[in-house]
Amino acid sequence: MSTSSVSKGCFVFKPSAKKRKPSPTVEDYFTHGSENMENSRLRFRTCQSLWEKMKTDTELLQEELNRKVLDSLLEFIRKSSSSFQRGTDDWRSRMRAHEIPTAALVLGVNVPDHDMTFQSLSEQLQLSVSPFVVSLQAKECAALKNLIQKVLERLMGAGVWVNDEDQCEPEQGSTSVNLKRVHCSLKTLHDWYKTVTEKTYTSTPGEKRTSIGINVQQHPPIVVIFKDLEVFSPKVLQDFIIICSRYIEQLPLIFVFGIATAPSVIQHTLPHSVSSLLGIELFQSLSCTQHLATVIDQVILTSEFPFKLSGKVLQVLVSIFLYHDFSVRNFIKGLQLALLEHFHSQPLSVLCCRKQEALGHISKLSHQDVERIQQLPSFMRYVEQQGPQDQVELLTNDDHVKEVCVKLLIDLHKYHKNYYPILRCLHVLTSSLPKYPLGKQIRELHISCLEKNVWDNEEYASAMTLLRMMAKEELVSLLQKCSVILKPGKTKKMRAVLLRLDDLITRFTKSLLEMKESRRTKKMSQFEILRDEVLEFFDSLVRCHLAPPESQPLYEVCYYSSSAVLRRHLNATPRTSIQTALSNPYHYLKNESLRTEDGTFSSAAPDICIVYKLHLECGRLINLYDWLEAYATVVSAAEGKDPESADYGKVDELKHARFIQAVSELEFLGFIKSTKQKTDHVSRLTWGGC
Amino acid sequence: MAGQLLQPGYEENKLQRVSKLLPCRDVQSSMLLALMGEPEQYSYPSIFIYGHRATGKSHVIHTLLKELDIPYATVTCVECVSLGLLFEQVLFSLFGPDSATLLSRSPSLSDFVRVYKQLCVQNPAKQTKYIVLDRAELLRDMDANLLPAFLRLQELVEDNVTVILLSEIVWDKFRPNTGCFEPLLLHFPDYSKDELQQILSEDSHPSYSTELYSAFINILLGVFYSVCRDLRELRHLAALNFAKFVEPLESGKVNESETHKLWRNIEPHLKKAMQTVYLREVSSVQWEQQMEKEAGAVRGLSAHGHVELPYYSKFLLIAAYLASYNPARTDRRFFLKHHGKIKKTNFLKKHEKTSNHLLGPKPFALDRLLAIFYSVVDSRVAPSASVFSQISSLVTLQLLSQVGHNDQLDAPKYKCAVSLDFILAISRTVSFDIVKYLYDFL
């Protein structure tokens, strides 16, 4: 490289854009290291499209679930702002103290999910009520000054934008841009609000209306959203409310408090003198457990998505939700991870897509893929059940295998189409029983069906016994519910089941009339016979359709079952990892010289591992000098010195330094700390030995 | 109208109007007028006015200054997030909009004094100027030299100016330990019941007689006087409940003279208002709707006390509660299997005899929290990262609070910030009998 400079110096040459390597795409990461590029690209695309579908579905679902609370919130804001417009004509509103309308929005402790709710809230507000919406987070409002500054910045930024669109009076717009720090007061906001509303609604009528929205009133309210009320410093909040209340007669301010715990937190943070400035109304969102139930119902318990989770994996995801975070967003992230892992690690997942596509993919399978199919446990089980002639064909003839696979895949899809309606019916029947023998939630029933034959469970037997004692009205109403579930029957079998069920229901209603006559007899009444028949029928349905997926050939194509991988990724245990690294360095370093038998320890391990190992043998207090000597002995052995020689195990400067470094690393990791109890000793912070 | 306001230098009719606008504050307003003297006379450099909320401090001052056309600047100290803002507002109101631009970007007190003097020379005024500082207690938190300087601003700027400080706190809490110029103290006492009655009766409803409204106010004060003497709040409550009061009149069941019947109608209603709308358990709008529709009562804010938490968070909170309220020495007794019998009296130290629940939560280290957590939770829990992150979520939810600075990474300490009722409810949901583990209830 050369420069035109005459003087000597350092020059920076930035690489030109062309020369730079294109940064790898997601697809490159996905296909990296796979033998069959074509196959893994296909998998990647299937995975992506499936995920897109799942994502939009769950987003729609969440929007739907939030709709009710958001609608009432919007209604509240509209009403409050229109009461501001009405002004102070009548006696009552003149006499009343002017409170700041405040919506206390209780969202539950699943804080990660709140972002989405606030996002859609402020979008809808901007769309239909007012362009002036500010969201605040506690971490950016440490002091009153920052809070006011943030409010002004976000609002008047919007105001500047309005001016730009109008393309009129640019000089006015520029005054509001030159926001001097000194001007950060609500008075500035008030002046700005006056100019904006006047300009927008008097000078340029026709055009302006359309850009903000038709149903925006003359004085659109200023909505301030406090996303996490608990975290705000009470002092800042109180001062801000006091200031705002001084302007409430001129500025239509409305607050929204996002509350994670309970609304009583308002009374804890604000004294009466401040809370009396607010007119608080409560809005409660759906609980996160209900939310999860709906997501599972729509995304997991459906034959729409070919990708399935095994019982264990679902259990891991659900237990992270219930035990740790209550976050639906994290649940969906976990689902995404499982999806990605499945398509990445299972080459046969090319077949995990819609039926028609999958059938197309079968014909393109390579010889290697066919071998993989032949090695699948479920396929091997299937082969064993065939006649000897067939077995040979299935193990040698690729084309025959492909033909059989087509049939098996169709069967698998059918299995899913029958499985979910029957699962729902069984849940309807058992979820109203006392003590919920098969679980209160449908996901529990689903998990137990996935794990083994549900009819072998003791709980299933007891549920059946309870059902056999059910009164007529209850049973009929349950059967009617089942019939509703089966209505959109997708397969022949389901339609047949529905016919049979409807027939049974009509017979029940008839037997109602006959029952009165045969009440006194000891013999089984008509009703009892019928009841047994119905339950027999359901039992046969369960046995036929709710067999665990392992029984289906090729189930590995659709089911992701590595629960350990998922748990390791989602529920990391840093401490266990550190201990593994220190006691078994081979686990991470993969250096053959470190490989050891169980229980033994290579003296060639890194210094910190040796020091760690030695410290495990000590008590609560460790003598540093003894420790150093022991370390020197181990290291000398690693150097291959003769045990008989004079300087074997002798401490030289290098060893000393290495030892000190290792010890301070241990201290940094929190295994030891210095102590004043004894000179030249350190104390251990963990318990237990090797 | 007991005494007429008299002060030479002001027009008679203006004074009369002022005294009409300031009912029940004759003593204070005439005192103030006397202090202010005639318009061009120098007044006392600083006056400190104190009294409870809604005792008419700002109202009296502002009415006097406004009605008598006296130049003044009024600043609410809460709004002044920076010193510059305060100075700017003072200069703006005293010398017009251009004056504020003379100040530098973040002005100091001496800048302010310099600019003030400069402007004074440009437009000398004959009349006394007034600077009213509302919520003056916040001046104490600003620069240390600010309060003493304002107290003798007259000397500093060599102008005819008086600073009036308004506060709800007494002067003794203001006095800096370096000493300062003592302002004149003026106390605004609370309104008495009769005075409240008189003031509230003045804004009667246009379509009803003043006698009726006065009777209503009398009933209202009978209920609320014992809990609330805040004029603003009482006026608000009167406005909210008057419609209910006249309901029987509207429907023609009762006539105006039957005050007893009216009283019987409104009294239970007002009592209910005291527990709900006065405490802001329900909003005023909800209260009005409730009255119109006679619908089922809206549940107040504190009725929703229930908090749903993830399973392990519940146990972490229980462990934190135990760590906060049990002495550390007793952990052996509660969480070891073979602890032997330790009688409560044997290992009691003298100061531990008082209930820990009366003393409040004590801080505990993270280690102790986890140790207790692992022994109370019924299954084996891996020490995963999410267990630790749950502790910090509990802190953000204000169920735990971190003691000391939150950048202390090494051995952080926490306190449990929930009540006994709350933790009892939580432990009931996981069927954990927390009372058995609490030292106070042994």
Side-chain angles (χ1 to χ4, degrees):
Chain A
M1 297 247 179
S2 63
T3 64
S4 54
S5 169
V6 261
S7 59
K8 255 189 183 177
C10 249
F11 299 95
V12 177
F13 293 98
K14 282 191 175 164
S16 64
K18 279 178 211 160
K19 276 186 187 167
R20 230 180 285 164
K21 269 190 204 164
S23 60
T25 61
V26 187
E27 188 171 349
D28 294 334
Y29 282 117
F30 190 88
T31 53
H32 177 77
S34 73
E35 305 134 32
N36 189 343
M37 277 309 243
E38 197 48 48
N39 178 306
S40 84
R41 269 205 206 108
L42 193 60
R43 259 156 41 203
F44 176 73
R45 277 198 297 276
T46 327
C47 174
Q48 285 295 84
S49 68
L50 204 56
W51 167 239
E52 284 302 321
K53 178 92 175 61
M54 277 185 172
K55 200 174 144 204
T56 42
D57 272 23
T58 48
E59 273 168 8
L60 272 180
L61 197 68
Q62 261 151 310
E63 221 163 85
E64 195 57 43
L65 288 174
N66 279 328
R67 176 148 305 154
K68 211 174 136 206
V69 64
L70 286 191
D71 280 352
S72 54
L73 196 62
L74 286 177
E75 187 50 37
F76 165 74
I77 290 174
R78 249 179 240 133
K79 224 166 49 191
S80 321
S81 73
S82 66
S83 73
F84 174 84
Q85 319 251 322
R86 257 189 274 123
T88 53
D89 305 335
D90 67 327
W91 176 82
R92 198 199 280 171
S93 55
R94 202 173 60 237
M95 291 297 300
R96 265 170 58 170
H98 289 276
E99 293 170 324
I100 307 174
T102 305
L105 180 59
V106 182
L107 291 164
V109 294
N110 44 333
V111 181
D113 296 350
H114 295 180
D115 267 348
M116 212 164 142
T117 317
F118 284 120
Q119 183 76 32
S120 58
L121 172 66
S122 59
E123 270 166 20
Q124 289 190 31
L125 278 175
Q126 277 172 340
L127 211 67
S128 66
V129 183
S130 157
F132 309 128
V133 181
V134 198
S135 294
L136 295 174
Q137 255 180 319
K139 65 178 176 213
E140 52 193 23
C141 307
L144 183 61
K145 200 194 271 183
N146 310 74
L147 199 160
I148 296 181
Q149 201 184 342
K150 279 276 165 323
V151 171
L152 294 200
E153 253 173 36
R154 282 171 199 176
L155 280 178
M156 318 224 318
V160 174
W161 172 77
V162 167
N163 284 337
D164 285 346
E165 276 226 329
D166 249 358
Q167 291 188 339
C168 68
E169 295 159 328
E171 66 274 18
Q172 274 215 0
S174 60
T175 50
S176 52
V177 183
N178 294 337
L179 197 70
K180 249 171 65 179
R181 193 168 258 267
V182 194
H183 281 295
C184 277
S185 72
L186 274 207
K187 199 163 176 300
T188 326
L189 184 67
H190 176 218
D191 296 342
W192 166 83
Y193 184 76
K194 253 189 4 208
T195 50
V196 166
T197 44
E198 271 168 21
K199 195 161 42 143
T200 316
Y201 297 101
T202 54
S203 59
T204 55
E207 245 181 22
K208 197 62 244 167
R209 290 273 152 83
T210 48
S211 73
I212 296 186
I214 299 158
N215 48 357
V216 176
Q217 321 93 336
Q218 201 188 347
H219 292 283
I222 297 177
V223 185
V224 185
I225 302 174
F226 298 86
K227 281 186 177 177
D228 37 6
L229 187 76
E230 282 92 349
V231 197
F232 274 91
S233 125
K235 175 101 182 38
V236 171
L237 206 60
Q238 285 167 25
D239 286 351
F240 185 68
I241 292 171
I242 291 171
I243 297 174
C244 285
S245 77
R246 293 173 49 81
Y247 287 91
I248 188 63
E249 283 169 45
Q250 294 108 45
L251 274 180
L253 283 160
I254 295 175
F255 290 163
V256 176
F257 288 165
I259 297 173
T261 50
S264 54
V265 76
I266 299 176
Q267 285 146 337
H268 290 306
T269 41
L270 304 177
H272 181 252
S273 63
V274 177
S275 64
S276 67
L277 303 173
L278 304 173
I280 307 166
E281 272 186 44
L282 191 66
F283 297 87
Q284 196 126 23
S285 78
L286 202 65
S287 87
C288 48
T289 35
Q290 273 171 291
H291 197 149
L292 179 81
T294 338
V295 168
I296 288 187
D297 195 66
Q298 300 284 311
V299 179
I300 309 242
L301 300 178
T302 167
S303 52
E304 195 179 341
F305 299 108
F307 172 71
K308 306 282 172 209
L309 298 176
S310 80
K312 283 226 174 67
V313 172
L314 188 58
Q315 191 83 63
V316 167
L317 289 179
V318 169
S319 65
I320 287 177
F321 175 88
L322 288 178
Y323 287 148
H324 292 294
D325 58 9
F326 266 1
S327 163
V328 177
R329 204 186 74 156
N330 287 356
F331 179 85
I332 293 168
K333 286 271 168 221
L335 191 64
Q336 187 188 7
L337 180 69
L339 183 78
L340 205 60
E341 274 287 330
H342 178 64
F343 278 91
H344 185 68
S345 60
Q346 172 63 275
L348 290 175
S349 57
V350 271
L351 303 180
C352 180
C353 49
R354 300 200 157 278
K355 197 163 82 185
Q356 291 311 319
E357 294 168 41
L359 296 184
H361 291 165
I362 284 184
S363 55
K364 290 183 214 145
L365 287 182
S366 65
H367 175 67
Q368 204 184 13
D369 289 330
V370 173
E371 265 176 14
R372 282 203 188 99
I373 289 180
Q374 284 161 341
Q375 280 159 12
L376 288 180
S378 66
F379 191 78
M380 272 147 72
R381 251 173 297 177
Y382 170 76
V383 171
E384 277 163 28
Q385 288 159 10
Q386 307 306 313
Q389 186 62 40
D390 242 9
Q391 284 190 0
V392 177
E393 279 281 291
L394 281 172
L395 292 176
T396 51
N397 187 345
D398 276 10
D399 290 333
H400 183 64
V401 171
K402 283 184 188 174
E403 272 167 38
V404 170
C405 276
V406 169
K407 190 176 93 52
L408 291 178
L409 261 188
I410 292 174
D411 281 352
L412 189 63
H413 279 271
K414 258 191 210 145
Y415 162 75
H416 285 141
K417 278 185 184 155
N418 295 334
Y419 177 91
Y420 293 107
I422 298 295
L423 181 77
R424 279 169 208 275
C425 287
L426 183 61
H427 179 66
V428 163
L429 286 178
T430 58
S431 62
S432 58
L433 293 175
K435 285 192 186 165
Y436 313 104
L438 286 173
K440 202 174 175 182
Q441 305 275 352
I442 191 165
R443 58 164 188 263
E444 297 166 49
L445 182 63
H446 178 55
I447 289 173
S448 54
C449 287
L450 288 177
E451 263 157 13
K452 58 177 190 184
N453 290 339
V454 68
W455 55 89
D456 291 341
N457 282 353
E458 255 174 58
E459 290 83 14
Y460 179 79
S462 69
M464 278 298 160
T465 328
L466 286 172
L467 281 174
R468 262 177 242 277
M469 291 189 282
M470 202 165 242
K472 175 178 286 173
E473 287 76 17
E474 274 179 90
L475 193 60
V476 171
S477 80
L478 290 183
L479 290 180
Q480 271 156 353
K481 274 189 207 162
C482 290
S483 134
V484 172
I485 292 172
L486 292 169
K487 270 270 152 53
K490 282 177 185 154
T491 59
K492 255 183 237 158
K493 273 193 185 144
M494 285 301 113
R495 282 191 287 272
V497 168
L498 180 63
L499 278 181
R500 175 84 198 277
L501 189 64
D502 284 342
D503 174 49
L504 282 169
I505 292 173
T506 42
R507 276 167 64 196
F508 260 117
T509 30
K510 268 186 205 155
S511 78
L512 250 178
L513 307 169
E514 293 160 26
M515 193 176 161
K516 278 167 197 154
E517 296 156 25
S518 60
R519 181 162 286 170
R520 296 275 164 201
T521 52
K522 275 273 174 186
K523 262 191 351 189
M524 266 174 66
S525 69
Q526 189 79 31
F527 163 67
E528 281 161 341
I529 295 168
L530 207 52
R531 186 167 63 186
D532 280 358
E533 193 184 333
V534 165
L535 293 176
E536 288 289 311
F537 173 57
F538 266 103
D539 191 45
S540 69
L541 282 179
V542 166
R543 282 168 200 268
C544 176
H545 298 294
L546 291 190
E550 276 95 41
S551 63
Q552 305 298 316
L554 291 187
Y555 86 96
E556 289 94 340
V557 164
C558 293
Y559 281 80
Y560 178 72
S561 53
S562 326
S563 61
V565 174
L566 209 60
R567 183 181 287 127
R568 208 171 57 231
H569 282 302
L570 295 178
N571 204 1
T573 51
R575 190 167 157 182
T576 327
S577 316
I578 290 176
Q579 270 169 344
T580 316
L582 290 176
S583 52
N584 182 15
Y586 176 74
H587 185 86
Y588 290 108
L589 296 177
K590 304 283 180 213
N591 183 341
E592 282 308 316
S593 69
L594 296 178
R595 182 160 224 164
T596 55
E597 297 300 311
D598 280 344
T600 59
F601 191 77
S602 160
S603 46
D607 290 339
I608 186 171
C609 299
I610 299 172
V611 169
Y612 172 76
K613 189 78 184 169
L614 289 170
H615 111 287
L616 287 180
E617 292 159 12
C618 301
R620 209 179 62 79
L621 289 174
I622 308 170
N623 185 328
L624 271 173
Y625 192 76
D626 293 350
W627 201 4
L628 172 63
E629 298 244 283
Y631 168 79
T633 318
V634 175
V635 173
S636 301
E639 284 164 355
K641 281 198 181 134
D642 179 17
E644 303 299 319
S645 73
D647 61 343
Y648 182 81
K650 217 174 160 207
V651 181
D652 57 20
E653 278 181 355
L654 185 66
K655 278 186 199 132
H656 192 187
R658 280 167 58 186
F659 173 74
I660 293 297
Q661 185 175 13
V663 167
S664 44
E665 279 168 357
L666 267 196
E667 186 175 3
F668 177 68
L669 289 175
F671 284 95
I672 54 166
K673 72 173 186 187
S674 60
T675 175
K676 282 176 186 157
Q677 287 179 13
K678 246 176 170 180
T679 42
D680 297 338
H681 280 67
V682 290
S683 66
R684 267 185 76 176
L685 295 172
T686 51
W687 289 270
C690 33
Chain B
M1 277 348 82
Q4 273 291 344
L5 288 179
L6 287 172
Q7 182 63 40
Y10 297 103
E11 288 169 37
E12 190 84 356
N13 56 350
K14 274 189 184 169
L15 284 175
Q16 244 169 29
R17 197 164 69 232
V18 168
S19 75
K20 239 186 218 123
L21 284 169
L22 302 174
C24 308
R25 281 290 165 231
D26 310 311
V27 182
Q28 284 78 20
S29 42
S30 57
M31 169 82 101
L32 268 172
L33 269 180
L35 281 173
M36 285 154 70
E38 288 176 35
E40 54 281 350
Q41 287 171 340
Y42 267 57
S43 173
Y44 200 77
S46 47
I47 303 170
F48 181 84
I49 300 176
Y50 67 103
H52 282 145
R53 239 162 87 82
T55 46
K57 301 181 293 291
S58 334
H59 180 62
V60 168
I61 286 287
H62 287 142
T63 323
L64 277 178
L65 294 174
K66 206 168 161 195
E67 295 294 328
L68 300 177
D69 293 325
I70 300 169
Y72 73 102
T74 175
V75 181
T76 315
C77 293
V78 221
E79 275 186 62
C80 301
V81 287
S82 65
L83 268 184
L85 211 57
L86 199 161
F87 296 148
E88 206 171 286
Q89 285 188 17
V90 171
L91 293 178
F92 183 89
S93 346
L94 289 183
F95 300 103
D98 301 329
S99 55
T101 49
L102 292 170
L103 279 174
S104 59
R105 213 175 121 76
S106 49
S108 69
L109 185 67
S110 53
D111 287 336
F112 170 67
V113 172
R114 181 177 51 77
V115 173
Y116 191 102
K117 271 183 175 171
Q118 193 184 327
L119 288 166
C120 250
V121 175
Q122 283 168 14
N123 26 333
K126 283 181 245 127
Q127 276 192 314
T128 316
K129 298 191 189 80
Y130 290 88
I131 298 174
V132 183
L133 298 174
D134 203 348
R135 288 183 161 264
E137 63 269 15
L138 290 159
L139 287 178
R140 298 177 300 174
D141 305 333
M142 298 186 193
D143 285 0
N145 62 358
L146 196 67
L147 182 62
F150 267 120
L151 289 172
R152 53 201 320 166
L153 193 68
Q154 203 174 71
E155 271 174 67
L156 281 171
V157 298
E158 295 162 350
D159 185 32
N160 187 0
V161 62
T162 292
V163 176
I164 299 175
L165 304 167
L166 305 179
S167 176
E168 289 175 27
I169 317 178
V170 292
W171 171 249
D172 292 341
K173 305 272 176 198
F174 277 72
R175 204 174 279 125
N177 37 17
T178 48
C180 66
F181 182 84
E182 290 284 317
L184 270 184
L185 305 187
L186 188 56
H187 180 227
F188 275 52
D190 283 353
Y191 291 112
S192 68
K193 196 171 177 179
D194 292 335
E195 285 172 333
L196 283 174
Q197 167 89 37
Q198 188 193 332
I199 297 169
L200 286 170
S201 304
E202 275 182 22
D203 25 53
S204 69
H205 198 284
S207 33
Y208 296 94
S209 70
T210 35
E211 287 76 34
L212 182 78
Y213 193 75
S214 173
F216 169 64
I217 293 297
N218 196 11
I219 295 168
L220 185 86
L221 281 178
V223 175
F224 279 100
Y225 187 68
S226 54
V227 291
C228 173
R229 298 177 187 191
D230 186 334
L231 188 61
R232 177 183 177 277
E233 198 69 350
L234 285 170
R235 184 176 283 156
H236 179 65
L237 288 166
L240 286 185
N241 294 303
F242 188 63
K244 185 76 184 174
F245 179 69
V246 294
E247 209 177 64
L249 290 176
E250 291 286 304
S251 58
K253 281 185 200 147
V254 187
N255 62 39
E256 279 198 25
S257 56
E258 292 173 286
T259 38
H260 188 71
K261 274 189 184 164
L262 286 172
W263 176 76
R264 263 224 307 252
N265 171 49
I266 192 74
E267 214 239 351
H269 189 72
L270 288 178
K271 287 219 162 119
K272 205 169 140 210
M274 187 152 76
Q275 284 155 14
T276 52
V277 71
Y278 171 63
L279 295 175
R280 296 305 190 273
E281 286 272 308
V282 300
S283 80
S284 313
V285 181
Q286 279 174 325
W287 175 251
E288 280 173 329
Q289 282 170 352
Q290 204 175 315
M291 277 198 309
E292 277 162 25
K293 289 187 215 146
E294 294 288 341
V298 181
R299 281 172 79 206
L301 287 184
S302 52
H304 300 262
H306 176 66
V307 178
E308 265 193 74
L309 287 173
Y311 190 71
Y312 288 149
S313 293
K314 284 180 185 170
F315 274 106
L316 279 170
L317 200 60
I318 288 172
Y321 193 85
L322 292 175
S324 258
Y325 286 98
N326 281 349
R329 291 179 314 112
T330 61
D331 286 352
R332 269 174 71 84
R333 149 105 184 51
F334 290 117
F335 304 113
L336 277 188
K337 269 192 186 129
H338 308 289
H339 54 78
K341 252 192 184 165
I342 308 173
K343 274 193 183 163
K344 190 174 180 180
T345 45
N346 284 353
F347 61 91
L348 266 184
K349 279 186 184 162
K350 216 171 190 181
H351 67 272
E352 281 174 359
K353 277 187 181 146
T354 40
S355 160
N356 289 302
H357 279 85
L358 290 178
L359 295 172
K362 291 191 182 62
F364 53 85
L366 178 65
D367 290 344
R368 192 170 159 228
L369 171 70
L370 288 175
I372 297 179
F373 169 68
Y374 286 122
S375 63
V376 293
V377 78
D378 47 3
S379 54
R380 260 191 86 237
V381 189
S384 67
S386 47
V387 170
F388 290 97
S389 75
Q390 278 177 70
I391 298 176
S392 33
S393 336
L394 287 175
V395 174
T396 39
L397 296 177
Q398 303 244 295
L399 299 173
L400 294 185
S401 62
Q402 192 161 7
V403 182
H405 216 273
N406 58 4
D407 58 3
Q408 191 190 356
L409 298 174
D410 184 33
K413 286 193 163 182
Y414 302 93
K415 263 184 190 182
C416 186
V418 301
S419 65
L420 180 64
D421 287 338
F422 187 94
I423 205 74
L424 282 177
I426 289 279
S427 41
R428 213 172 294 127
T429 59
V430 289
S431 42
F432 177 84
D433 189 5
I434 193 168
V435 176
K436 267 208 272 181
Y437 289 85
L438 277 170
Y439 179 69
D440 279 351
F441 300 108
L442 215 59

